[in-house]
Amino acid sequence: MKRLNVVVLTASLFTVGCASSSENISASYVSPLQYQSFTCEQLTEEMQRVGRKAREVAGVQDAEADKDAVAMGVGLVLFWPALFFLIGDDRKEELARLKGEVEAIEQSAIKRDCKTLLANIAKDREAAKKRSAAKKDDEDKKIQE
């Protein structure tokens, strides 16, 4: 019983260091004032650049979160030294900043009434919701099997 408590305590300490999934990382505040002089075309280009970088960092973050989840499972069940592999390439702060930049660009687009950019943002959000729902359905199916 005492050994089990030690394992649970150790696992609890390591879960604090686990990487979060990209969708669970909130945007940090970025002032939209830096984009106030941008035209709608410039805002569109900046949104594409920041969005591309955010997707890249989110992919790295999700891969790290998956790796941490596997290491946690192996560590808890089979081999507790695997828990030391949880210390990895967490990009939480960078992703939070990039998400904040996306929000700031969106606020500037709203202020400038950039209809095309706002329509693209709405379309991207809808596609992301569908991907998230499909991913959740896949996970639910795996759990049921």
Side-chain angles (χ1 to χ4, degrees):
M1 185 68 171
K2 189 173 183 178
R3 184 173 184 203
L4 179 63
N5 289 340
V6 170
V7 170
V8 171
L9 177 63
T10 303
S12 298
L13 292 174
F14 279 107
T15 57
V16 173
C18 287
S20 301
S21 174
S22 65
E23 62 188 30
N24 295 331
I25 297 174
S26 300
S28 60
Y29 177 75
V30 174
S31 174
L33 292 176
Q34 65 182 329
Y35 301 109
Q36 70 182 359
S37 64
F38 283 38
T39 64
C40 288
E41 184 178 329
Q42 290 171 320
L43 287 170
T44 300
E45 291 171 4
E46 188 67 5
M47 181 66 88
Q48 290 171 348
R49 184 190 69 76
V50 172
R52 192 170 33 254
K53 183 66 177 173
R55 284 187 299 277
E56 175 188 316
V57 172
V60 171
Q61 183 70 25
D62 287 340
E64 190 64 31
D66 290 346
K67 188 175 85 176
D68 284 357
V70 169
M72 177 62 72
V74 170
L76 290 176
V77 176
L78 298 174
F79 188 62
W80 68 267
L83 297 175
F84 290 107
F85 292 105
L86 294 178
I87 302 168
D89 188 24
D90 192 358
R91 310 277 295 268
K92 183 177 180 177
E93 290 80 21
E94 182 180 7
L95 185 56
R97 180 187 52 79
L98 289 166
K99 286 183 172 185
E101 285 186 40
V102 167
E103 288 182 359
I105 294 168
E106 182 178 3
Q107 289 172 11
S108 295
I110 291 168
K111 199 170 211 175
R112 287 214 172 268
D113 196 28
C114 301
K115 289 180 179 24
T116 303
L117 177 55
L118 294 171
N120 288 338
I121 290 169
K123 193 184 325 177
D124 289 346
R125 283 205 176 120
E126 188 61 34
K129 283 181 186 177
K130 287 180 182 177
R131 282 191 306 272
S132 180
K135 182 179 176 183
K136 186 178 182 325
D137 288 345
D138 287 346
E139 291 171 354
D140 289 346
K141 285 179 186 175
K142 286 180 184 176
I143 290 171
Q144 291 175 357
E145 292 175 352

